Amino acid sequence: MLRLGNPDGSYDIIETTPENTQRVLANEPLYAADTDDPNFMAPDEIRALQNGNLRRQLERVKDGSAYYKGLFKREKIDPDKIETVDDLVRLPLTSKADYMSDPEAFRLKLSNPTLYDWLWDVTYTTGTTTGIPTPFYNTILDAYATYRLIFRAIKIGGGLSTTRVVNLFPLGPIPHIGFFRARDIIAMMPYGQGSFACTGMPHPEFKIHRSLDYAVELIEKIEGQALVGIASFIRRVIMKAEQEGRDYSQVHGVELLGEAAPKGMRDDVRRRLENMGADRPFIANSYGFTEMQGAMSECEEFSGCHNPDDGLYFFEVVDEKTLERLPDGEVGLLVITHLNRTGTVLLRYVVGDYAAITHEPCPFCGRTGTRTQITVGSTYATRTSELVNLKGTLINPEILRDEIANTAGIAEYQVVFTKKDPSDPYSPDELVIRVGKLPDRSEKDIEEELQQRILRAVEMRARIEFAELSEIFDPDESLKAVRIVDLRPKE
Ligand SMILES: [Zn+2]
Protein backbone atom coordinates (compact mmCIF):
# COMPACT_ATOMS: atom_id res chain seq x y z
CA MET A 1 0.00 0.00 0.00
CA LEU A 2 1.17 3.49 -0.85
CA ARG A 3 0.05 6.82 0.49
CA LEU A 4 -0.61 9.50 -2.10
CA GLY A 5 -0.50 12.87 -0.39
CA ASN A 6 -3.10 15.56 -0.98
CA PRO A 7 -2.34 19.29 -0.73
CA ASP A 8 -4.38 19.58 2.51
CA GLY A 9 -2.12 17.04 4.30
CA SER A 10 -4.54 14.14 3.97
CA TYR A 11 -3.69 11.14 1.81
CA ASP A 12 -5.28 8.35 -0.18
CA ILE A 13 -4.18 4.75 0.34
CA ILE A 14 -3.48 3.08 -2.99
CA GLU A 15 -2.03 -0.26 -4.05
CA THR A 16 1.76 -0.52 -4.54
CA THR A 17 2.21 -0.95 -8.29
CA PRO A 18 4.93 0.43 -10.59
CA GLU A 19 2.40 2.93 -12.00
CA ASN A 20 1.20 4.13 -8.59
CA THR A 21 4.81 4.39 -7.41
CA GLN A 22 5.49 6.79 -10.29
CA ARG A 23 2.38 8.79 -9.34
CA VAL A 24 3.56 9.14 -5.74
CA LEU A 25 7.07 10.18 -6.83
CA ALA A 26 5.75 12.69 -9.37
CA ASN A 27 3.54 14.15 -6.67
CA GLU A 28 6.49 14.99 -4.41
CA PRO A 29 8.78 17.68 -5.91
CA LEU A 30 11.96 16.49 -4.15
CA TYR A 31 11.42 12.93 -5.38
CA ALA A 32 10.55 14.11 -8.88
CA ALA A 33 13.80 16.14 -8.95
CA ASP A 34 15.91 13.08 -8.07
CA THR A 35 16.38 12.11 -11.71
CA ASP A 36 19.59 10.06 -11.38
CA ASP A 37 18.20 7.45 -8.96
CA PRO A 38 19.86 4.15 -10.05
CA ASN A 39 16.78 2.22 -8.94
CA PHE A 40 14.98 3.43 -12.06
CA MET A 41 17.84 2.83 -14.50
CA ALA A 42 18.11 -0.03 -17.00
CA PRO A 43 20.30 -2.93 -15.76
CA ASP A 44 23.20 -2.06 -18.13
CA GLU A 45 23.12 1.58 -16.99
CA ILE A 46 23.38 0.45 -13.34
CA ARG A 47 26.35 -1.78 -14.23
CA ALA A 48 28.08 1.07 -16.09
CA LEU A 49 27.60 3.36 -13.06
CA GLN A 50 28.97 0.70 -10.70
CA ASN A 51 31.97 -0.07 -12.93
CA GLY A 52 32.83 3.62 -13.29
CA ASN A 53 32.59 4.19 -9.55
CA LEU A 54 34.59 1.02 -8.80
CA ARG A 55 37.47 2.21 -11.03
CA ARG A 56 37.62 5.56 -9.21
CA GLN A 57 37.37 3.77 -5.85
CA LEU A 58 40.26 1.43 -6.69
CA GLU A 59 42.43 4.46 -7.56
CA ARG A 60 41.70 5.84 -4.09
CA VAL A 61 42.38 2.47 -2.46
CA LYS A 62 45.69 2.06 -4.35
CA ASP A 63 46.72 5.46 -3.07
CA GLY A 64 45.49 5.43 0.49
CA SER A 65 44.44 2.07 1.96
CA ALA A 66 47.18 0.41 4.00
CA TYR A 67 45.21 -2.84 4.21
CA TYR A 68 44.44 -3.25 0.51
CA LYS A 69 47.87 -2.04 -0.64
CA GLY A 70 49.29 -4.85 1.51
CA LEU A 71 46.78 -7.34 0.16
CA PHE A 72 47.49 -6.45 -3.51
CA LYS A 73 51.20 -6.94 -2.88
CA ARG A 74 50.86 -10.14 -0.87
CA GLU A 75 48.44 -11.78 -3.28
CA LYS A 76 50.18 -10.34 -6.38
CA ILE A 77 46.98 -8.68 -7.58
CA ASP A 78 47.15 -5.83 -10.06
CA PRO A 79 44.22 -3.55 -9.10
CA ASP A 80 44.34 -1.99 -12.58
CA LYS A 81 43.15 -5.32 -13.98
CA ILE A 82 39.94 -5.05 -11.91
CA GLU A 83 37.86 -3.06 -14.34
CA THR A 84 34.32 -4.21 -13.54
CA VAL A 85 32.32 -5.47 -10.58
CA ASP A 86 32.54 -8.92 -12.19
CA ASP A 87 36.35 -8.74 -11.96
CA LEU A 88 36.02 -8.24 -8.19
CA VAL A 89 35.93 -12.03 -7.80
CA ARG A 90 39.73 -11.92 -8.21
CA LEU A 91 39.99 -10.17 -4.85
CA PRO A 92 39.96 -12.30 -1.69
CA LEU A 93 37.11 -11.60 0.72
CA THR A 94 37.66 -9.27 3.68
CA SER A 95 36.38 -10.70 6.96
CA LYS A 96 35.05 -8.94 10.03
CA ALA A 97 38.12 -10.25 11.87
CA ASP A 98 40.44 -8.56 9.31
CA TYR A 99 38.63 -5.24 9.79
CA MET A 100 38.32 -5.44 13.56
CA SER A 101 41.93 -6.40 14.15
CA ASP A 102 43.20 -3.19 12.50
CA PRO A 103 40.40 -0.70 11.66
CA GLU A 104 42.92 2.10 10.98
CA ALA A 105 44.37 0.13 8.06
CA PHE A 106 40.99 0.43 6.29
CA ARG A 107 40.83 4.21 6.70
CA LEU A 108 41.99 5.96 3.53
CA LYS A 109 44.96 8.31 3.84
CA LEU A 110 44.85 10.02 0.46
CA SER A 111 47.96 11.81 -0.80
CA ASN A 112 45.93 14.71 -2.17
CA PRO A 113 42.78 14.98 -0.04
CA THR A 114 40.14 17.56 -0.91
CA LEU A 115 37.92 19.40 1.56
CA TYR A 116 35.35 16.63 1.15
CA ASP A 117 37.82 14.00 2.35
CA TRP A 118 38.11 15.47 5.85
CA LEU A 119 36.66 13.62 8.80
CA TRP A 120 32.96 14.22 9.42
CA ASP A 121 32.11 11.69 12.13
CA VAL A 122 32.83 8.27 13.53
CA THR A 123 30.29 5.56 14.24
CA TYR A 124 31.06 2.21 15.80
CA THR A 125 30.00 -1.32 15.15
CA THR A 126 28.66 -3.04 18.23
CA GLY A 127 28.26 -6.64 19.22
CA THR A 128 31.82 -7.67 18.53
CA THR A 129 33.14 -10.90 19.98
CA THR A 130 35.70 -9.02 22.06
CA GLY A 131 33.20 -6.40 23.23
CA ILE A 132 35.43 -3.58 21.95
CA PRO A 133 33.62 -1.35 19.43
CA THR A 134 35.28 -0.90 16.05
CA PRO A 135 35.40 2.64 14.60
CA PHE A 136 33.96 3.31 11.15
CA TYR A 137 35.13 6.68 9.77
CA ASN A 138 32.99 8.93 7.61
CA THR A 139 34.41 11.84 5.61
CA ILE A 140 32.31 14.77 4.42
CA LEU A 141 31.93 12.94 1.09
CA ASP A 142 30.68 9.84 2.95
CA ALA A 143 28.24 11.90 4.99
CA TYR A 144 26.78 13.49 1.85
CA ALA A 145 26.54 10.10 0.18
CA THR A 146 24.78 8.71 3.27
CA TYR A 147 22.31 11.60 3.32
CA ARG A 148 21.37 10.78 -0.24
CA LEU A 149 21.19 7.06 0.57
CA ILE A 150 18.80 7.84 3.41
CA PHE A 151 16.76 10.18 1.22
CA ARG A 152 16.35 7.37 -1.31
CA ALA A 153 15.49 4.88 1.43
CA ILE A 154 12.70 7.22 2.61
CA LYS A 155 11.57 7.49 -1.00
CA ILE A 156 11.39 3.66 -1.23
CA GLY A 157 9.38 3.50 1.99
CA GLY A 158 6.90 6.04 0.63
CA GLY A 159 7.59 8.91 3.07
CA LEU A 160 5.45 12.00 2.45
CA SER A 161 6.38 15.65 2.86
CA THR A 162 3.81 15.90 5.64
CA THR A 163 5.14 12.92 7.62
CA ARG A 164 6.10 13.51 11.26
CA VAL A 165 8.80 11.07 12.36
CA VAL A 166 9.57 9.89 15.88
CA ASN A 167 13.12 8.60 16.39
CA LEU A 168 12.83 5.81 18.95
CA PHE A 169 16.47 4.74 18.77
CA PRO A 170 18.16 5.07 22.16
CA LEU A 171 20.73 7.75 22.76
CA GLY A 172 23.32 5.11 23.53
CA PRO A 173 26.78 5.44 25.05
CA ILE A 174 28.41 4.48 21.73
CA PRO A 175 27.69 6.54 18.58
CA HIS A 176 26.07 3.80 16.54
CA ILE A 177 24.12 4.29 13.35
CA GLY A 178 20.65 3.86 14.85
CA PHE A 179 20.18 7.16 16.67
CA PHE A 180 22.28 9.23 14.26
CA ARG A 181 20.97 7.93 10.98
CA ALA A 182 17.39 8.23 12.30
CA ARG A 183 18.28 11.87 13.03
CA ASP A 184 19.38 12.12 9.40
CA ILE A 185 16.07 10.63 8.28
CA ILE A 186 14.35 13.65 9.79
CA ALA A 187 16.84 15.95 8.04
CA MET A 188 16.19 14.28 4.70
CA MET A 189 12.39 13.94 4.90
CA PRO A 190 10.79 16.36 2.48
CA TYR A 191 9.82 19.28 4.76
CA GLY A 192 11.24 17.11 7.56
CA GLN A 193 9.47 17.17 10.86
CA GLY A 194 10.38 14.95 13.72
CA SER A 195 11.08 14.32 17.37
CA PHE A 196 13.51 12.27 19.40
CA ALA A 197 12.52 10.11 22.36
CA CYS A 198 16.11 10.07 23.74
CA THR A 199 15.61 6.87 25.70
CA GLY A 200 18.58 4.75 26.73
CA MET A 201 20.82 3.84 29.61
CA PRO A 202 20.82 6.72 32.12
CA HIS A 203 24.11 8.51 32.83
CA PRO A 204 24.94 8.94 36.55
CA GLU A 205 25.70 12.67 36.17
CA PHE A 206 23.96 14.01 33.05
CA LYS A 207 20.26 13.28 33.37
CA ILE A 208 19.44 13.63 29.68
CA HIS A 209 17.83 10.26 29.04
CA ARG A 210 14.08 9.90 28.95
CA SER A 211 11.83 7.02 29.82
CA LEU A 212 9.76 4.60 27.83
CA ASP A 213 6.69 6.37 29.25
CA TYR A 214 7.97 9.62 27.74
CA ALA A 215 8.27 7.91 24.34
CA VAL A 216 4.70 6.57 24.61
CA GLU A 217 3.42 10.06 25.44
CA LEU A 218 5.53 11.84 22.81
CA ILE A 219 4.04 9.89 19.91
CA GLU A 220 0.50 10.83 20.97
CA LYS A 221 1.38 14.42 21.79
CA ILE A 222 3.03 15.36 18.50
CA GLU A 223 0.79 13.01 16.51
CA GLY A 224 3.82 11.11 15.23
CA GLN A 225 3.13 9.30 11.99
CA ALA A 226 6.26 7.27 11.28
CA LEU A 227 8.07 5.46 14.09
CA VAL A 228 11.69 4.46 13.58
CA GLY A 229 13.71 2.30 15.97
CA ILE A 230 14.82 -1.13 17.10
CA ALA A 231 12.08 -3.67 16.46
CA SER A 232 11.71 -5.06 19.99
CA PHE A 233 11.75 -1.58 21.55
CA ILE A 234 9.14 -0.12 19.19
CA ARG A 235 6.91 -3.08 19.92
CA ARG A 236 7.31 -2.46 23.66
CA VAL A 237 6.32 1.19 23.23
CA ILE A 238 3.27 0.18 21.22
CA MET A 239 2.23 -2.45 23.78
CA LYS A 240 2.43 0.12 26.57
CA ALA A 241 0.47 2.65 24.54
CA GLU A 242 -2.23 0.10 23.83
CA GLN A 243 -2.50 -0.81 27.53
CA GLU A 244 -2.95 2.86 28.35
CA GLY A 245 -5.59 3.31 25.64
CA ARG A 246 -3.62 5.98 23.76
CA ASP A 247 -4.78 7.52 20.51
CA TYR A 248 -2.31 6.41 17.84
CA SER A 249 -4.76 6.82 14.97
CA GLN A 250 -2.29 9.09 13.16
CA VAL A 251 0.45 6.41 12.89
CA HIS A 252 0.78 5.26 9.30
CA GLY A 253 4.17 3.62 9.27
CA VAL A 254 6.55 1.78 11.55
CA GLU A 255 10.14 1.08 10.55
CA LEU A 256 11.41 -1.92 12.50
CA LEU A 257 15.21 -1.95 12.36
CA GLY A 258 18.17 -3.72 13.92
CA GLU A 259 16.48 -7.10 14.13
CA ALA A 260 14.54 -9.45 11.93
CA ALA A 261 10.79 -8.86 12.13
CA PRO A 262 8.95 -12.09 11.33
CA LYS A 263 5.40 -11.98 10.01
CA GLY A 264 3.89 -12.73 13.43
CA MET A 265 5.67 -9.75 14.95
CA ARG A 266 4.51 -7.43 12.20
CA ASP A 267 0.92 -8.67 12.49
CA ASP A 268 1.05 -8.15 16.24
CA VAL A 269 2.30 -4.56 15.89
CA ARG A 270 -0.32 -3.85 13.22
CA ARG A 271 -3.17 -5.27 15.31
CA ARG A 272 -2.17 -3.14 18.29
CA LEU A 273 -1.90 0.02 16.18
CA GLU A 274 -5.27 -0.68 14.59
CA ASN A 275 -6.72 -1.13 18.09
CA MET A 276 -5.49 2.41 18.75
CA GLY A 277 -7.19 3.73 15.61
CA ALA A 278 -4.46 3.48 12.94
CA ASP A 279 -5.59 2.87 9.36
CA ARG A 280 -3.71 0.06 7.57
CA PRO A 281 -0.23 1.01 8.89
CA PHE A 282 2.82 -0.08 6.88
CA ILE A 283 4.91 -2.30 9.17
CA ALA A 284 8.27 -2.25 7.43
CA ASN A 285 11.47 -4.12 8.25
CA SER A 286 14.58 -2.57 6.73
CA TYR A 287 17.88 -4.37 6.66
CA GLY A 288 20.89 -2.30 7.59
CA PHE A 289 24.30 -2.41 9.22
CA THR A 290 27.11 -0.04 10.19
CA GLU A 291 29.27 -0.84 7.18
CA MET A 292 26.59 0.59 4.87
CA GLN A 293 25.69 3.47 7.24
CA GLY A 294 22.02 3.03 6.51
CA ALA A 295 19.54 0.41 5.49
CA MET A 296 17.97 -1.32 2.55
CA SER A 297 14.24 -0.71 2.68
CA GLU A 298 10.98 -2.29 1.66
CA CYS A 299 8.49 -0.63 -0.67
CA GLU A 300 5.83 -3.06 0.58
CA GLU A 301 5.81 -5.60 3.38
CA PHE A 302 7.93 -8.61 2.31
CA SER A 303 8.80 -6.97 -1.06
CA GLY A 304 12.47 -7.60 -0.43
CA CYS A 305 14.80 -4.85 0.78
CA HIS A 306 15.92 -2.47 -1.95
CA ASN A 307 19.49 -1.19 -2.00
CA PRO A 308 18.70 2.55 -2.03
CA ASP A 309 21.76 3.31 -4.17
CA ASP A 310 23.56 0.74 -6.33
CA GLY A 311 26.08 3.47 -7.18
CA LEU A 312 27.33 3.44 -3.58
CA TYR A 313 27.30 -0.24 -2.71
CA PHE A 314 27.79 -3.38 -4.73
CA PHE A 315 26.31 -6.52 -3.18
CA GLU A 316 27.07 -10.11 -4.01
CA VAL A 317 26.39 -13.45 -2.34
CA VAL A 318 29.07 -16.13 -2.08
CA ASP A 319 29.03 -19.80 -1.21
CA GLU A 320 30.07 -20.32 2.39
CA LYS A 321 32.43 -23.21 1.60
CA THR A 322 33.85 -22.51 -1.88
CA LEU A 323 33.60 -18.68 -1.51
CA GLU A 324 32.50 -18.58 -5.18
CA ARG A 325 29.99 -15.95 -6.22
CA LEU A 326 26.46 -17.41 -6.33
CA PRO A 327 23.71 -16.64 -8.85
CA ASP A 328 20.64 -14.62 -7.87
CA GLY A 329 18.21 -16.34 -5.53
CA GLU A 330 20.73 -18.64 -3.87
CA VAL A 331 21.43 -18.24 -0.17
CA GLY A 332 24.99 -17.64 0.95
CA LEU A 333 27.18 -15.09 2.68
CA LEU A 334 26.24 -11.49 1.90
CA VAL A 335 29.24 -9.45 0.72
CA ILE A 336 29.44 -5.66 0.25
CA THR A 337 31.92 -3.52 -1.72
CA HIS A 338 32.06 0.24 -1.16
CA LEU A 339 31.99 1.99 -4.53
CA ASN A 340 32.22 5.62 -3.44
CA ARG A 341 33.76 6.36 -0.04
CA THR A 342 36.87 8.09 1.29
CA GLY A 343 36.71 7.29 5.03
CA THR A 344 36.67 3.62 6.03
CA VAL A 345 36.67 1.61 2.81
CA LEU A 346 35.88 -2.09 2.55
CA LEU A 347 36.09 -4.23 -0.58
CA ARG A 348 34.31 -7.61 -0.73
CA TYR A 349 33.54 -7.44 2.96
CA VAL A 350 31.60 -10.35 4.48
CA VAL A 351 28.77 -8.72 6.41
CA GLY A 352 28.11 -11.75 8.59
CA ASP A 353 24.61 -12.66 7.43
CA TYR A 354 23.21 -15.35 5.18
CA ALA A 355 21.02 -13.80 2.50
CA ALA A 356 19.90 -14.07 -1.12
CA ILE A 357 19.65 -11.20 -3.60
CA THR A 358 17.87 -10.57 -6.87
CA HIS A 359 18.19 -8.08 -9.74
CA GLU A 360 14.71 -8.75 -11.12
CA PRO A 361 12.52 -5.63 -11.27
CA CYS A 362 10.39 -5.38 -8.13
CA PRO A 363 6.85 -6.57 -8.89
CA PHE A 364 5.47 -3.94 -6.49
CA CYS A 365 7.32 -0.68 -7.24
CA GLY A 366 9.19 -1.55 -10.45
CA ARG A 367 12.63 -0.61 -9.07
CA THR A 368 15.45 -2.30 -10.97
CA GLY A 369 18.31 -2.22 -8.44
CA THR A 370 19.58 -4.90 -6.09
CA ARG A 371 17.08 -6.37 -3.64
CA THR A 372 17.41 -8.93 -0.83
CA GLN A 373 14.90 -11.76 -0.73
CA ILE A 374 13.07 -13.51 2.08
CA THR A 375 15.22 -16.53 2.85
CA VAL A 376 14.37 -17.94 6.26
CA GLY A 377 10.77 -18.31 7.35
CA SER A 378 9.44 -14.79 6.90
CA THR A 379 12.74 -12.93 7.42
CA TYR A 380 15.57 -11.76 5.21
CA ALA A 381 18.83 -12.63 6.80
CA THR A 382 20.36 -14.83 9.46
CA ARG A 383 23.48 -14.03 11.39
CA THR A 384 26.11 -16.54 10.34
CA SER A 385 27.14 -17.05 13.94
CA GLU A 386 23.66 -18.11 14.90
CA LEU A 387 23.55 -21.63 13.46
CA VAL A 388 23.53 -23.79 16.56
CA ASN A 389 24.39 -27.39 17.16
CA LEU A 390 21.78 -28.77 19.54
CA LYS A 391 21.52 -32.45 20.41
CA GLY A 392 23.81 -33.12 17.46
CA THR A 393 21.55 -31.35 14.98
CA LEU A 394 22.43 -28.04 13.33
CA ILE A 395 19.44 -25.75 13.76
CA ASN A 396 18.73 -22.25 12.58
CA PRO A 397 17.37 -20.18 15.48
CA GLU A 398 15.72 -17.85 12.93
CA ILE A 399 13.21 -20.61 12.17
CA LEU A 400 12.49 -20.93 15.90
CA ARG A 401 12.02 -17.18 16.18
CA ASP A 402 9.61 -17.22 13.28
CA GLU A 403 7.49 -19.96 14.87
CA ILE A 404 7.48 -18.33 18.30
CA ALA A 405 6.65 -14.88 16.97
CA ASN A 406 3.78 -16.38 14.98
CA THR A 407 2.22 -17.93 18.10
CA ALA A 408 -0.67 -15.88 19.45
CA GLY A 409 -0.48 -14.63 23.04
CA ILE A 410 3.31 -14.27 23.26
CA ALA A 411 4.54 -10.80 24.21
CA GLU A 412 8.23 -11.50 24.72
CA TYR A 413 10.37 -14.57 24.35
CA GLN A 414 13.85 -15.92 24.67
CA VAL A 415 15.33 -19.11 23.27
CA VAL A 416 17.78 -20.75 25.70
CA PHE A 417 20.15 -23.57 24.85
CA THR A 418 21.20 -25.26 28.05
CA LYS A 419 22.00 -28.60 29.65
CA LYS A 420 19.40 -30.85 31.23
CA ASP A 421 21.48 -30.69 34.40
CA PRO A 422 23.28 -27.32 34.37
CA SER A 423 25.87 -28.61 36.88
CA ASP A 424 26.78 -31.51 34.60
CA PRO A 425 28.42 -30.39 31.34
CA TYR A 426 27.97 -33.85 29.86
CA SER A 427 24.24 -34.08 30.42
CA PRO A 428 22.08 -33.84 27.29
CA ASP A 429 21.33 -30.50 25.61
CA GLU A 430 18.00 -28.92 26.38
CA LEU A 431 15.97 -26.40 24.45
CA VAL A 432 14.08 -23.95 26.69
CA ILE A 433 11.70 -21.28 25.44
CA ARG A 434 11.06 -18.54 27.99
CA VAL A 435 7.78 -16.82 27.33
CA GLY A 436 6.30 -13.58 28.60
CA LYS A 437 2.61 -13.94 27.83
CA LEU A 438 -0.28 -11.63 27.19
CA PRO A 439 -3.29 -11.77 29.52
CA ASP A 440 -5.65 -12.79 26.72
CA ARG A 441 -4.43 -16.39 26.30
CA SER A 442 -3.91 -19.18 28.81
CA GLU A 443 -0.51 -20.74 29.54
CA LYS A 444 -1.89 -24.12 28.59
CA ASP A 445 -3.05 -23.00 25.14
CA ILE A 446 0.19 -21.20 24.39
CA GLU A 447 2.26 -24.15 25.55
CA GLU A 448 0.34 -26.63 23.42
CA GLU A 449 0.57 -24.57 20.25
CA LEU A 450 4.20 -23.66 20.80
CA GLN A 451 5.20 -27.30 21.40
CA GLN A 452 3.61 -28.30 18.12
CA ARG A 453 5.29 -25.50 16.21
CA ILE A 454 8.75 -26.17 17.67
CA LEU A 455 8.44 -29.88 17.05
CA ARG A 456 7.50 -29.26 13.44
CA ALA A 457 10.21 -26.65 12.87
CA VAL A 458 13.26 -28.30 14.44
CA GLU A 459 12.05 -31.81 15.23
CA MET A 460 12.77 -31.60 18.93
CA ARG A 461 10.83 -30.89 22.09
CA ALA A 462 11.24 -27.70 24.07
CA ARG A 463 10.65 -26.95 27.73
CA ILE A 464 8.37 -23.92 27.95
CA GLU A 465 8.96 -21.57 30.88
CA PHE A 466 6.73 -18.60 31.66
CA ALA A 467 8.30 -15.39 33.04
CA GLU A 468 7.57 -11.69 33.58
CA LEU A 469 8.07 -9.51 30.46
CA SER A 470 10.76 -7.38 32.13
CA GLU A 471 12.72 -10.50 33.10
CA ILE A 472 13.09 -11.28 29.41
CA PHE A 473 13.59 -7.79 28.02
CA ASP A 474 13.96 -4.59 30.00
CA PRO A 475 14.25 -1.61 27.61
CA ASP A 476 15.96 0.47 30.30
CA GLU A 477 18.74 -2.08 30.61
CA SER A 478 19.52 -3.10 27.05
CA LEU A 479 19.34 -1.84 23.49
CA LYS A 480 17.46 -4.80 22.13
CA ALA A 481 15.93 -7.99 23.36
CA VAL A 482 18.41 -10.87 23.50
CA ARG A 483 16.44 -13.58 21.76
CA ILE A 484 18.99 -16.36 21.73
CA VAL A 485 21.06 -17.40 24.75
CA ASP A 486 23.49 -20.29 24.83
CA LEU A 487 24.24 -21.29 28.44
CA ARG A 488 26.09 -24.49 27.61
CA PRO A 489 29.76 -24.71 28.59
CA LYS A 490 32.09 -23.70 25.75
CA GLU A 491 34.13 -26.57 24.36
ZN1 LIG B 1 9.77 -2.50 -4.58
Side-chain angles (χ1 to χ4, degrees):
M1 252 116 46
L2 282 167
R3 283 167 163 79
L4 182 66
N6 299 317
D8 65 356
S10 67
Y11 52 78
D12 300 316
I13 296 181
I14 56 177
E15 208 186 323
T16 311
T17 64
E19 296 71 31
N20 282 343
T21 300
Q22 291 302 331
R23 276 175 72 197
V24 169
L25 299 182
N27 196 37
E28 196 63 68
L30 285 182
Y31 295 154
D34 183 30
T35 50
D36 60 354
D37 183 344
N39 261 313
F40 295 103
M41 290 179 181
D44 56 337
E45 286 178 302
I46 297 177
R47 269 307 149 103
L49 171 72
Q50 293 188 316
N51 292 340
N53 285 356
L54 176 66
R55 278 306 323 151
R56 182 177 52 183
Q57 189 68 13
L58 285 170
E59 290 301 318
R60 292 169 177 156
V61 165
K62 250 166 60 182
D63 175 39
S65 169
Y67 178 82
Y68 289 107
K69 280 198 279 187
L71 179 85
F72 295 150
K73 205 168 159 194
R74 205 168 57 240
E75 301 285 328
K76 299 189 176 56
I77 293 165
D78 179 359
D80 293 338
K81 297 247 166 69
I82 300 169
E83 292 178 28
T84 68
V85 288
D86 285 337
D87 297 338
L88 274 173
V89 294
R90 293 187 203 152
L91 268 187
L93 300 169
T94 299
S95 71
K96 252 189 174 36
D98 296 331
Y99 167 41
M100 284 171 183
S101 67
D102 190 4
E104 298 302 321
F106 290 88
R107 183 180 179 185
L108 291 194
K109 310 236 170 12
L110 298 173
S111 40
N112 289 304
T114 72
L115 166 67
Y116 294 111
D117 302 319
W118 290 13
L119 182 66
W120 173 277
D121 70 7
V122 187
T123 55
Y124 295 85
T125 63
T126 54
T128 66
T129 42
T130 54
I132 301 164
T134 304
F136 187 89
Y137 297 101
N138 292 305
T139 61
I140 299 165
L141 179 108
D142 301 336
Y144 284 10
T146 299
Y147 273 122
R148 195 178 59 179
L149 179 90
I150 285 171
F151 170 75
R152 287 179 174 161
I154 297 166
K155 189 174 155 189
I156 293 165
L160 301 175
S161 57
T162 49
T163 305
R164 285 181 300 280
V165 182
V166 180
N167 176 5
L168 291 170
F169 275 102
L171 179 51
I174 294 163
H176 118 311
I177 62 165
F179 186 85
F180 294 99
R181 295 301 91 95
R183 174 196 66 187
D184 300 342
I185 287 177
I186 295 170
M188 282 292 112
M189 287 298 293
Y191 302 97
Q193 309 170 70
S195 296
F196 299 69
C198 297
T199 57
M201 193 166 70
H203 186 267
E205 187 179 0
F206 304 109
K207 314 270 185 233
I208 54 169
H209 291 90
R210 296 163 187 174
S211 64
L212 183 132
D213 289 334
Y214 173 83
V216 169
E217 170 92 20
L218 173 72
I219 295 162
E220 189 179 50
K221 202 158 194 140
I222 71 148
E223 299 186 7
Q225 293 171 311
L227 314 181
V228 183
I230 289 175
S232 45
F233 182 75
I234 293 196
R235 182 159 168 275
R236 192 49 87 72
V237 167
I238 289 171
M239 284 169 68
K240 191 84 196 282
E242 191 193 18
Q243 273 168 20
E244 294 175 5
R246 300 272 177 176
D247 176 2
Y248 274 23
S249 55
Q250 72 290 344
V251 174
H252 58 63
V254 174
E255 187 61 79
L256 304 172
L257 284 145
E259 295 169 324
K263 185 173 182 305
M265 184 180 194
R266 299 198 208 207
D267 290 344
D268 176 88
V269 168
R270 184 186 353 271
R271 191 171 46 75
R272 292 173 193 282
L273 284 170
E274 285 176 347
N275 283 346
M276 293 185 280
D279 181 13
R280 289 164 284 171
F282 177 19
I283 315 296
N285 181 209
S286 289
Y287 171 71
F289 46 92
T290 303
E291 296 87 344
M292 75 174 286
Q293 288 291 299
M296 301 166 90
S297 13
E298 294 180 317
C299 62
E300 175 74 39
E301 291 181 33
F302 307 108
S303 64
C305 293
H306 290 279
N307 180 10
D309 196 333
D310 272 346
L312 292 181
Y313 302 125
F314 173 73
F315 285 99
E316 59 188 312
V317 169
V318 301
D319 183 272
E320 187 185 12
K321 292 205 176 67
T322 66
L323 307 182
E324 300 283 329
R325 189 182 286 181
L326 291 172
D328 277 8
E330 289 189 22
V331 180
L333 299 171
L334 185 69
V335 173
I336 186 174
T337 293
H338 295 154
L339 297 177
N340 195 359
R341 284 185 57 85
T342 57
T344 295
V345 173
L346 300 162
L347 305 176
R348 299 202 86 206
Y349 174 76
V350 181
V351 175
D353 284 328
Y354 292 110
I357 56 173
T358 177
H359 295 84
E360 288 295 310
C362 174
F364 297 99
C365 68
R367 282 180 173 81
T368 48
T370 314
R371 194 159 40 101
T372 62
Q373 292 174 296
I374 297 285
T375 50
V376 191
S378 56
T379 58
Y380 291 107
T382 318
R383 286 270 132 183
T384 44
S385 57
E386 279 185 0
L387 283 184
V388 174
N389 189 327
L390 195 73
K391 301 183 191 178
T393 309
L394 211 54
I395 63 167
N396 183 345
E398 202 64 47
I399 294 172
L400 282 176
R401 280 195 225 207
D402 213 58
E403 291 298 334
I404 301 167
N406 288 334
T407 307
I410 295 182
E412 291 293 353
Y413 65 89
Q414 190 171 55
V415 178
V416 185
F417 305 115
T418 182
K419 289 283 176 186
K420 215 158 197 108
D421 175 0
S423 66
D424 173 7
Y426 303 110
S427 66
D429 287 345
E430 189 174 38
L431 172 62
V432 179
I433 315 287
R434 300 179 72 210
V435 172
K437 76 176 220 31
L438 296 168
D440 57 4
R441 202 166 182 217
S442 74
E443 287 191 3
K444 186 169 162 288
D445 283 0
I446 293 175
E447 184 162 352
E448 273 175 16
E449 183 184 337
L450 197 52
Q451 279 294 7
Q452 286 305 316
R453 283 177 175 271
I454 302 289
L455 202 57
R456 203 170 53 225
V458 294
E459 294 174 350
M460 60 181 77
R461 290 207 143 268
R463 183 157 62 79
I464 316 287
E465 239 180 54
F466 289 90
E468 290 299 317
L469 300 193
S470 59
E471 281 175 38
I472 299 175
F473 168 47
D474 183 348
D476 285 339
E477 295 288 321
S478 54
L479 190 65
K480 42 177 121 166
V482 180
R483 298 296 184 200
I484 313 284
V485 183
D486 196 339
L487 299 177
R488 296 172 298 172
K490 301 279 171 288
E491 303 197 354

